[in-house]
Amino acid sequence: MILPGNTSCQGCPISLAMRCLDEIENPVLVIPAGCSTVVAGLHPNSAMKIPVIHVPFASTNAVACGVKEAYKRAGVKANVIAWIGDGAADIGFATLSASATRKDDIITVVVDNEAYMNTGTQASLSTFWKAKTSTSPAGKADEKRNLALIMIAHRADYVATATVGYIEDLRRKFGKASQSEGFRFIQIHCPCPPGWRFPSEKTIEIARKAVMSGAWALFEFYDGKLRFSGIGKKFAEKGNRIPLAEYLKVQGRFEHLGDEDIVAIERAIDEEWEILKRFSGE
Amino acid sequence: MQGNVQTKSHRNGSRVRKLLTSNEAVAEAVKIAKPDVIAAYPITPQSPIVESLAKMIAKGELDATFVRVESEHSAMAVIHGAATAGARVFTATSSHGLAYMFEMCWWIAGSRLPAVMAVATRSIGAPWNIHGDHTDIVQLRDAGWIIGMAENAQEAFDMTLQAFCVSEEVNIPFAVGLDAFTMSHTAEVVEIWEPKIPPRRQAYKVLPSDNFAVNAVTMGKARMKARYDLAVDLENSAKVIEKTDKDFGNHGGLVESYRLDDADFAVVMMGGWCGDAKDAIDMLRQEGFKIGLLRIRFLRPFPKKAVKELGGEVLVVDKANSDLRGVLGIEVSSCGVEAKNVVAGIGGVDVGVDDFYRIFKDFMNGKLEMEWYL
Ligand code: SF4
């Protein structure tokens, strides 16, 4: 799906996620501005083995909707994928929300690296609690927005969170989305070496620590039910988690955190798990 | 307002005369062109166009997909996507709506996708004003669109049909301008007829079976070359417009010449108020003044040749400004034609036959400097 020698940074989580696109039948990618644009290749080349429609930032879900509606009328079978970063989910949020509400028959994938990496690591609505970015140099005061929960509130047909740390789980979710219909949404946790400031060989390790510490919850929502999924399921139990500091302390963006900061973040994460558990009935 | 069938013209068996607003006339034309995908967000005074189309779809008179979007930005994005996948597309907007979709207007033109959009031309805030002028549509000038300006409901109908043919032949989107309220909401008798519109054509479409990246990041010259090609093709679209105009009402091509043949004085204007200007010209002609009108039907491609050929003294009357100058005035002077320029009618300020009579007479008597007619 993605050719070797593409222009991603070493250890890029997005290129890992793109490799899994072969789980999706007849894919057509719609990509707005962001790291994915660059990873997908510069004109006249393309790093992707599938069609890519590059579009402006806020438009992605609407363009994908138009593509799909045209295919439907022409009888063309395709999984149209709005492939956006957390930045496009910010600027294109109204578009995303409308697309989910209309139940556009498309797959939306958010590669969430918790900041605007392509413009040099500015804070997004998805930036993790207290993370340092170039526009939150003292650490971001406001909380990380839970986009997947918001999509569940839209009664999307399929919502899943995934991570590049557990590729088999991610592949299974892509496969499931491919076989379903309606508005499908997958948010992929994407630890970014330059943006989060960790060595590029540690992407998988950090992605897994996010899950193991409870900082990133893996779940699926379909048929009106939320279910914790895959390897992440056991971390719904707080007792099974590794200490949060083990996830945070290996990243440069958290180098300023004191013990009391970590306690505060942990409390916020616990609250979020409580909400998820209430949704799941587990 | 609902258009009623009034009489049936026997001049040409298939022609039906209906009392229609320009909004309704545009909707009738779109129905005949059979678009696949329509997307729009409501804005005054455009809304009746897409409301009419939604009704036609609901009644089964038109087989099209109507996508309700949350903004004009998305309206243009939906039709951009649908056109990329090969569908015939339509949207309509006005004023702030056009401003909001501006980014996508560049993308659909830069992607060389055919599309048709009606623009009920209206003032842009601040301050708030819902009335007519040309300040919205003139902003499309640099985006690479074909921009037509109709004078009445008949022309709005004919031009909308022509728009699908031209746009799909030259792979450039086409905006049909109709003045807010004076056209959009004013009923006139329109001859409805059903020309054959060729099946959808376009330079490329993206299908799942292709390995094709469209609009990837360019380095250096590729972007400039794309912009150059668009400029050249936009210029060449003049020929296609001239040719197809013969089949769509024969309104004169890029311009309409009104009593210009022997004129010592030429007025240059565009849009719905040209009808009033023509009446004023008729009055002045009766008084012996040799005055005529060059009605600009297309702001893009701009009719440079017709403007350059203007003899005598030239006056441009504008409904949109850029600093103290009128936008059409700037366009005319860019052709090397020295012209007086009046800016009038902004925000729906009423300018009628009497006003034109006065402005034109002052101009011919040498009493008019460049000014704002407030
Ligand atoms: S900045 Fe991060 S997300 Fe972007 S290409 Fe580099 S590693 Fe990938």
Side-chain angles (χ1 to χ4, degrees):
Chain A
M1 283 294 138
I2 180 166
L3 297 168
N6 69 71
T7 52
S8 59
C9 314
Q10 277 186 2
C12 176
I14 292 176
S15 55
L16 291 174
M18 279 174 165
R19 271 161 46 179
C20 304
L21 277 166
D22 53 10
E23 299 290 339
I24 298 179
E25 278 174 26
N26 300 322
V28 175
L29 275 183
V30 184
I31 304 183
C35 284
S36 300
T37 317
V38 181
V39 175
L42 308 183
H43 174 86
N45 301 311
S46 177
M48 308 302 296
K49 292 189 201 164
I50 53 175
V52 182
I53 303 167
H54 291 274
V55 297
F57 230 172
S59 69
T60 322
N61 272 74
V63 173
C65 165
V67 172
K68 180 67 192 196
E69 292 300 341
Y71 285 162
K72 262 190 197 163
R73 292 187 65 85
V76 174
K77 276 212 172 341
N79 269 305
V80 180
I81 305 162
W83 180 280
I84 69 182
D86 49 306
D90 283 0
I91 194 172
F93 184 69
T95 311
L96 173 62
S97 174
S99 179
T101 306
R102 277 193 307 262
K103 295 210 193 297
D104 287 345
D105 187 20
I106 60 173
I107 301 172
T108 300
V109 174
V110 176
V111 278
D112 182 2
N113 52 24
E114 300 188 338
Y116 305 149
M117 296 312 177
N118 197 233
T119 41
T121 321
Q122 295 84 12
S124 77
L125 297 174
S126 197
T127 293
F128 199 80
W129 289 267
K130 295 178 189 269
K132 263 189 187 172
T133 70
S134 62
T135 52
S136 60
K140 189 192 176 214
D142 30 317
E143 303 194 342
K144 179 177 169 69
R145 169 168 83 170
N146 192 325
L147 207 50
L149 263 184
I150 297 169
M151 287 300 117
I152 291 174
H154 281 72
R155 297 172 183 268
D157 297 288
Y158 177 74
V159 177
T161 57
T163 168
V164 294
Y166 297 104
I167 288 290
E168 282 315 311
D169 182 62
L170 168 58
R171 282 186 170 274
R172 185 181 61 76
K173 286 166 178 168
F174 270 4
K176 193 154 179 172
S178 173
Q179 299 307 323
S180 355
E181 282 178 356
F183 189 83
R184 294 148 281 166
F185 178 90
I186 300 174
Q187 185 175 3
I188 307 172
H189 194 237
C190 286
C192 160
W196 296 13
R197 286 186 282 134
F198 61 77
S200 54
E201 70 274 14
K202 286 195 182 298
T203 304
I204 300 293
E205 182 187 322
I206 287 178
R208 289 189 176 172
K209 279 182 171 163
V211 174
M212 290 191 285
S213 64
W216 183 252
L218 291 175
F219 58 84
E220 274 172 295
F221 172 88
Y222 54 91
D223 298 336
K225 273 205 198 92
L226 187 148
R227 303 150 167 96
F228 295 113
S229 59
I231 194 119
K233 198 168 180 172
K234 65 174 188 243
F235 304 110
E237 282 306 318
K238 195 165 177 188
N240 295 335
R241 295 178 200 161
I242 62 168
L244 186 60
E246 282 187 30
Y247 167 57
L248 301 180
K249 279 304 191 186
V250 279
Q251 302 175 44
R253 63 177 177 156
F254 295 122
E255 68 195 355
H256 59 296
L257 294 188
D259 291 345
E260 67 290 356
D261 291 316
I262 295 176
V263 170
I265 295 171
E266 195 171 337
R267 198 181 312 123
I269 287 173
D270 289 347
E271 281 168 16
E272 203 158 272
W273 274 99
E274 283 313 310
I275 296 171
L276 290 174
K277 282 180 184 170
R278 246 176 280 149
F279 262 85
S280 77
E282 283 178 25
Chain B
M1 270 180 281
Q2 202 57 45
N4 299 316
V5 177
Q6 286 209 316
T7 58
K8 202 160 189 174
S9 162
H10 296 289
R11 219 157 28 88
N12 182 334
S14 61
R15 289 178 188 245
V16 178
R17 288 161 68 82
K18 286 187 178 184
L19 186 63
L20 299 175
T21 64
S22 288
N23 274 346
E24 290 163 345
V26 168
E28 289 291 334
V30 173
K31 179 181 158 192
I32 292 163
K34 297 191 179 68
D36 299 295
V37 177
I38 298 167
Y41 188 81
I43 182 162
T44 302
Q46 167 284 121
S47 308
I49 299 177
V50 291
E51 285 168 352
S52 303
L53 290 166
K55 246 180 249 166
M56 292 170 187
I57 294 169
K59 282 195 208 154
E61 297 166 5
L62 171 62
D63 174 24
T65 301
F66 191 102
V67 183
R68 277 180 301 277
V69 285
E70 82 297 343
S71 74
E72 285 88 353
H73 192 277
S74 288
M76 187 53 74
V78 166
I79 72 162
H80 174 80
T84 305
R88 179 170 286 168
V89 294
F90 176 79
T91 188
T93 194
S94 190
S95 182
H96 288 255
L98 181 61
Y100 201 39
M101 66 166 57
F102 195 45
E103 176 186 42
M104 291 312 300
C105 291
W106 280 74
W107 270 70
I108 200 160
S111 305
R112 300 304 304 270
L113 292 166
V116 176
M117 167 165 71
V119 181
T121 66
R122 177 193 133 181
S123 226
I124 300 186
W128 275 121
N129 181 285
I130 63 157
H131 295 288
D133 62 36
H134 298 156
T135 46
D136 52 2
I137 198 162
V138 296
Q139 296 194 18
L140 260 187
R141 274 185 309 166
D142 300 338
W145 282 60
I146 294 168
I147 305 169
M149 292 292 285
E151 184 190 324
N152 50 43
Q154 184 67 54
E155 197 179 359
F157 174 84
D158 294 337
M159 192 183 273
T160 303
L161 282 167
Q162 183 192 22
F164 286 96
C165 294
V166 173
S167 175
E168 292 173 17
E169 187 164 337
V170 299
N171 296 294
I172 295 175
F174 191 131
V176 178
L178 50 136
D179 283 53
F181 300 107
T182 54
M183 290 178 64
S184 69
H185 283 64
T186 305
E188 300 170 68
V189 175
V190 181
E191 273 204 354
I192 300 291
W193 55 295
E194 300 202 11
K196 282 226 165 7
I197 309 287
R200 171 80 174 181
R201 290 169 293 171
Q202 58 188 73
Y204 68 91
K205 57 183 169 183
V206 176
L207 291 169
S209 48
D210 302 330
N211 172 11
F212 178 36
V214 59
N215 289 325
V217 180
T218 50
M219 299 302 234
K221 274 193 181 161
R223 157 76 183 141
M224 186 159 166
K225 176 72 166 56
R227 191 79 181 141
Y228 173 75
D229 289 345
L230 175 55
V232 169
D233 291 346
L234 182 57
E235 196 87 347
N236 289 337
S237 73
K239 291 187 206 102
V240 183
I241 290 166
E242 301 277 2
K243 187 182 77 196
T244 52
D245 179 53
K246 305 258 188 311
D247 305 325
F248 292 96
N250 210 2
H251 294 276
L254 291 186
V255 293
E256 182 198 0
S257 280
Y258 186 76
R259 307 192 79 163
L260 268 180
D261 284 350
D262 62 338
D264 298 325
F265 301 94
V267 180
V268 181
M269 290 170 61
M270 65 181 185
W273 62 354
C274 289
D276 292 322
K278 286 174 185 170
D279 287 351
I281 284 168
D282 290 345
M283 286 158 70
L284 289 160
R285 278 272 172 181
Q286 280 193 347
E287 292 175 28
F289 290 100
K290 289 194 168 173
I291 182 168
L293 171 75
L294 185 74
R295 183 167 70 86
I296 303 293
R297 294 188 67 233
F298 284 85
L299 183 59
R300 286 289 181 274
F302 193 69
K304 300 179 196 73
K305 189 163 167 281
V307 169
K308 280 181 186 159
E309 279 168 9
L310 281 173
E313 289 188 50
V314 180
L315 168 72
V316 185
V317 187
D318 257 297
K319 236 180 187 177
N321 72 296
S322 175
D323 63 43
L324 267 176
R325 297 167 296 174
V327 169
L328 203 52
I330 294 171
E331 291 286 330
V332 168
S333 64
S334 80
C335 299
V337 173
E338 223 181 283
K340 292 256 160 63
N341 195 185
V342 170
V343 177
I346 287 184
V349 168
D350 204 21
V351 183
V353 180
D354 295 346
D355 302 283
F356 286 125
Y357 176 86
R358 216 165 23 245
I359 294 169
F360 297 169
K361 202 164 187 174
D362 283 353
F363 158 61
M364 289 184 291
N365 290 331
K367 284 199 226 148
L368 190 73
E369 293 307 314
M370 197 283 289
E371 67 173 310
W372 281 53
Y373 193 74
L374 280 168

